[in-house]
Amino acid sequence: MTIHDITVPLSPDLPVYPGDPPVTCEPVTRIARGDTANVTRITMTTHSGTHLDVPGHCRDGGATVDHLPLSLLMGKARVLDIRGERAIGRHELSRLPVRGEERLLLRTDNSLLWDSPGFQDDFAHLTEEGAAFLIEAGVRLVGIDYLSIEGIASGITVHRMLLDAGVVILEGITLAEVEPGEYELVCLPLKIAGGDGAPARAILRGREPKGGETPFDPHTTRWPVA
């Protein structure tokens, strides 16, 4: 079994979306100062780093993160290799194994941007046509390897298209070390009451079949226990 941690570390150096406050980590108590324990105050938005967008992010009265069914956030997921494309539309997606998949993670050139200081606005993103294609295909969760699913110029149009159709958005993952293919996604957001989104820890589980083996199925008793 292989476990890929696709979560970016939270730190003051983490890029944030333009207009959002930075992540801060402030010591509250420190053993080195004579306190009994180390405690840190963290300040960040609900959309810092690896995080989920839910309908309440773009619509007042929309579903909030504490009401998301965990079954949507755990299960079979397919990583699509779409490097080399900046605007990801219907044409780019129609060539890939999209139909029949509930959870899709888009591996783009964005995964390399995490090593660059500050926010990079020339990132690969989903277009309105791409969003419409995913909705038609029955996708229920889509993830991308930077801080927004859509480009700066389009505002929140793509967000609203996806979220209004019940497609949850996972943003801020890193897929630089993940090969395209089928995995099991485990994505657990902070349970924030009334939250318009939430930071999450996201991992992918899977393994390569050895010679003569059938493909790995994480939903059978063949799952290794150790």
Side-chain angles (χ1 to χ4, degrees):
M1 178 179 64
T2 302
I3 297 177
H4 299 278
D5 188 352
I6 60 172
T7 314
V8 297
L10 290 168
S11 81
D13 297 325
L14 182 70
V16 296
Y17 196 80
D20 286 356
V23 176
T24 62
C25 301
E26 177 188 356
V28 176
T29 60
R30 283 293 179 263
I31 295 172
R33 298 192 309 223
D35 299 313
T36 57
N38 295 319
V39 177
T40 302
R41 177 187 293 114
I42 301 174
T43 304
M44 60 184 179
T45 74
T46 48
H47 301 268
S48 295
T50 304
H51 65 276
L52 283 172
D53 287 354
V54 297
H57 178 41
C58 296
R59 302 283 188 190
D60 283 340
T64 54
V65 72
D66 50 323
H67 291 131
L68 275 181
L70 293 181
S71 59
L72 177 59
L73 308 177
M74 303 172 65
K76 177 187 168 187
R78 181 169 293 279
V79 174
L80 298 179
D81 189 347
I82 200 159
R83 287 173 291 179
E85 303 290 349
R86 183 171 176 272
I88 304 168
R90 180 180 296 270
H91 174 71
E92 290 74 22
L93 292 169
S94 63
R95 299 175 295 176
L96 298 169
V98 170
R99 296 193 181 278
E101 301 290 343
E102 287 191 337
R103 303 171 191 86
L104 290 178
L105 305 181
L106 307 179
R107 181 186 178 185
T108 74
D109 296 320
N110 293 342
S111 285
L112 302 178
L113 298 180
W114 295 114
D115 295 328
S116 301
F119 182 83
Q120 307 296 309
D121 58 10
D122 190 28
F123 58 91
H125 57 274
L126 193 65
T127 68
E128 293 179 35
E129 283 191 354
F133 180 79
L134 295 183
I135 294 167
E136 293 165 11
V139 173
R140 300 181 63 210
L141 179 149
V142 59
I144 198 165
D145 47 359
Y146 208 52
L147 289 169
S148 180
I149 193 75
E150 67 183 302
I152 295 286
S154 61
I156 59 171
T157 303
V158 170
H159 279 79
R160 282 180 171 164
M161 288 178 65
L162 293 169
L163 295 172
D164 287 350
V167 182
V168 175
I169 304 169
L170 173 57
E171 296 174 327
I173 56 178
T174 178
L175 296 170
E177 305 299 323
V178 180
E179 294 299 319
E182 184 177 307
Y183 298 86
E184 181 187 27
L185 172 68
V186 179
C187 176
L188 298 179
L190 294 178
K191 193 173 183 179
I192 301 173
D196 49 65
R201 187 66 179 265
I203 66 169
L204 294 174
R205 301 197 296 186
R207 68 178 174 89
E208 293 295 328
K210 297 178 181 179
E213 282 189 344
T214 55
F216 177 58
D217 181 356
H219 301 294
T220 72
T221 55
R222 290 178 291 149
W223 185 266
V225 295

